[in-house]
mmCIF file of all heavy atoms in Angstrom:
data_model
loop_
_atom_site.group_PDB
_atom_site.id
_atom_site.type_symbol
_atom_site.label_atom_id
_atom_site.label_comp_id
_atom_site.label_asym_id
_atom_site.label_seq_id
_atom_site.Cartn_x
_atom_site.Cartn_y
_atom_site.Cartn_z
ATOM 1 N N ILE A 1012 -21.663 -19.336 3.371
ATOM 2 C CA ILE A 1012 -20.586 -18.397 3.062
ATOM 3 C C ILE A 1012 -21.095 -17.009 3.367
ATOM 4 O O ILE A 1012 -22.132 -16.604 2.871
ATOM 5 C CB ILE A 1012 -20.170 -18.501 1.584
ATOM 6 C CG1 ILE A 1012 -19.651 -19.919 1.287
ATOM 7 C CG2 ILE A 1012 -19.097 -17.469 1.247
ATOM 8 C CD1 ILE A 1012 -19.267 -20.118 -0.149
ATOM 9 N N TYR A 1093 -45.943 17.738 1.565
ATOM 10 C CA TYR A 1093 -46.446 16.669 2.450
ATOM 11 C C TYR A 1093 -47.341 17.264 3.546
ATOM 12 O O TYR A 1093 -48.434 16.758 3.807
ATOM 13 C CB TYR A 1093 -45.287 15.910 3.073
ATOM 14 C CG TYR A 1093 -45.721 14.843 4.055
ATOM 15 C CD1 TYR A 1093 -45.986 13.549 3.621
ATOM 16 C CD2 TYR A 1093 -45.896 15.132 5.405
ATOM 17 C CE1 TYR A 1093 -46.412 12.572 4.509
ATOM 18 C CE2 TYR A 1093 -46.329 14.169 6.295
ATOM 19 C CZ TYR A 1093 -46.585 12.885 5.844
ATOM 20 O OH TYR A 1093 -47.026 11.930 6.728
ATOM 21 N N ASP A 1103 -59.247 31.393 10.158
ATOM 22 C CA ASP A 1103 -58.522 32.646 9.973
ATOM 23 C C ASP A 1103 -57.357 32.812 10.944
ATOM 24 O O ASP A 1103 -56.462 33.623 10.707
ATOM 25 C CB ASP A 1103 -59.480 33.833 10.141
ATOM 26 C CG ASP A 1103 -60.530 33.881 9.036
ATOM 27 O OD1 ASP A 1103 -60.262 33.299 7.957
ATOM 28 O OD2 ASP A 1103 -61.599 34.479 9.257
ATOM 29 N N GLU A 1104 -57.372 32.031 12.043
ATOM 30 C CA GLU A 1104 -56.367 32.231 13.082
ATOM 31 C C GLU A 1104 -55.351 31.099 13.209
ATOM 32 O O GLU A 1104 -54.212 31.332 13.588
ATOM 33 C CB GLU A 1104 -57.065 32.409 14.438
ATOM 34 C CG GLU A 1104 -57.918 33.658 14.525
ATOM 35 C CD GLU A 1104 -58.546 33.795 15.880
ATOM 36 O OE1 GLU A 1104 -59.173 32.817 16.338
ATOM 37 O OE2 GLU A 1104 -58.403 34.858 16.507
ATOM 38 N N VAL A 1168 -49.476 37.050 15.213
ATOM 39 C CA VAL A 1168 -48.907 37.256 16.549
ATOM 40 C C VAL A 1168 -50.006 37.173 17.603
ATOM 41 O O VAL A 1168 -49.822 36.573 18.671
ATOM 42 C CB VAL A 1168 -48.183 38.618 16.620
ATOM 43 C CG1 VAL A 1168 -47.717 38.903 18.040
ATOM 44 C CG2 VAL A 1168 -46.995 38.641 15.667
ATOM 45 N N LYS A 1179 -52.018 28.481 29.384
ATOM 46 C CA LYS A 1179 -51.895 28.850 30.803
ATOM 47 C C LYS A 1179 -53.204 28.606 31.551
ATOM 48 O O LYS A 1179 -53.209 28.078 32.664
ATOM 49 C CB LYS A 1179 -51.486 30.314 30.924
ATOM 50 C CG LYS A 1179 -50.047 30.595 30.527
ATOM 51 C CD LYS A 1179 -49.717 32.070 30.693
ATOM 52 C CE LYS A 1179 -48.258 32.360 30.338
ATOM 53 N NZ LYS A 1179 -47.945 33.804 30.474
ATOM 54 N N ILE A 1237 -42.185 20.107 37.406
ATOM 55 C CA ILE A 1237 -43.523 20.409 36.910
ATOM 56 C C ILE A 1237 -44.491 19.412 37.528
ATOM 57 O O ILE A 1237 -44.102 18.294 37.901
ATOM 58 C CB ILE A 1237 -43.613 20.352 35.367
ATOM 59 C CG1 ILE A 1237 -43.206 18.952 34.854
ATOM 60 C CG2 ILE A 1237 -42.753 21.431 34.735
ATOM 61 C CD1 ILE A 1237 -43.434 18.769 33.362
ATOM 62 N N ARG A 1244 -57.046 6.111 30.243
ATOM 63 C CA ARG A 1244 -58.169 5.172 30.170
ATOM 64 C C ARG A 1244 -57.828 4.073 29.183
ATOM 65 O O ARG A 1244 -57.392 4.353 28.059
ATOM 66 C CB ARG A 1244 -59.434 5.911 29.724
ATOM 67 C CG ARG A 1244 -60.673 5.033 29.577
ATOM 68 C CD ARG A 1244 -61.912 5.903 29.432
ATOM 69 N NE ARG A 1244 -61.899 6.657 28.190
ATOM 70 C CZ ARG A 1244 -62.573 6.309 27.097
ATOM 71 N NH1 ARG A 1244 -63.285 5.182 27.078
ATOM 72 N NH2 ARG A 1244 -62.535 7.056 26.015
ATOM 73 N N GLY A 1295 -43.071 -12.818 35.537
ATOM 74 C CA GLY A 1295 -44.200 -12.361 34.746
ATOM 75 C C GLY A 1295 -44.910 -11.133 35.282
ATOM 76 O O GLY A 1295 -45.875 -10.668 34.680
ATOM 77 N N LEU A 1322 -40.063 -8.835 14.387
ATOM 78 C CA LEU A 1322 -38.767 -8.197 14.597
ATOM 79 C C LEU A 1322 -37.766 -9.184 15.153
ATOM 80 O O LEU A 1322 -38.101 -10.028 15.996
ATOM 81 C CB LEU A 1322 -38.900 -7.019 15.576
ATOM 82 C CG LEU A 1322 -39.745 -5.826 15.125
ATOM 83 C CD1 LEU A 1322 -39.994 -4.901 16.302
ATOM 84 C CD2 LEU A 1322 -39.060 -5.082 13.995
ATOM 85 N N ASP A 1325 -32.142 -7.712 17.037
ATOM 86 C CA ASP A 1325 -31.354 -6.542 16.663
ATOM 87 C C ASP A 1325 -32.172 -5.481 15.934
ATOM 88 O O ASP A 1325 -31.631 -4.491 15.450
ATOM 89 C CB ASP A 1325 -30.176 -6.963 15.790
ATOM 90 C CG ASP A 1325 -30.618 -7.639 14.489
ATOM 91 O OD1 ASP A 1325 -31.798 -8.036 14.414
ATOM 92 O OD2 ASP A 1325 -29.791 -7.761 13.577
ATOM 93 N N LEU A 1334 -46.996 6.954 20.241
ATOM 94 C CA LEU A 1334 -47.704 8.007 20.970
ATOM 95 C C LEU A 1334 -48.208 9.015 19.943
ATOM 96 O O LEU A 1334 -47.407 9.687 19.286
ATOM 97 C CB LEU A 1334 -46.764 8.677 21.980
ATOM 98 C CG LEU A 1334 -47.379 9.767 22.856
ATOM 99 C CD1 LEU A 1334 -48.470 9.191 23.773
ATOM 100 C CD2 LEU A 1334 -46.301 10.431 23.703
ATOM 101 N N GLN A 1338 -56.373 14.135 19.117
ATOM 102 C CA GLN A 1338 -57.458 15.115 19.218
ATOM 103 C C GLN A 1338 -57.027 16.331 20.034
ATOM 104 O O GLN A 1338 -56.294 16.217 21.017
ATOM 105 C CB GLN A 1338 -58.675 14.460 19.872
ATOM 106 C CG GLN A 1338 -59.945 15.278 19.850
ATOM 107 C CD GLN A 1338 -61.111 14.507 20.444
ATOM 108 O OE1 GLN A 1338 -61.360 14.570 21.642
ATOM 109 N NE2 GLN A 1338 -61.828 13.764 19.604
ATOM 110 N N ALA A 1357 -57.102 13.844 14.233
ATOM 111 C CA ALA A 1357 -56.057 13.442 13.288
ATOM 112 C C ALA A 1357 -55.907 11.925 13.323
ATOM 113 O O ALA A 1357 -55.787 11.324 14.397
ATOM 114 C CB ALA A 1357 -54.726 14.114 13.636
#
Side-chain angles (χ1 to χ4, degrees):
I1012 299 178
Y1093 177 89
D1103 294 337
E1104 295 181 309
V1168 174
K1179 288 181 178 179
I1237 59 173
R1244 179 168 66 100
L1322 295 169
D1325 61 344
L1334 182 64
Q1338 189 176 90

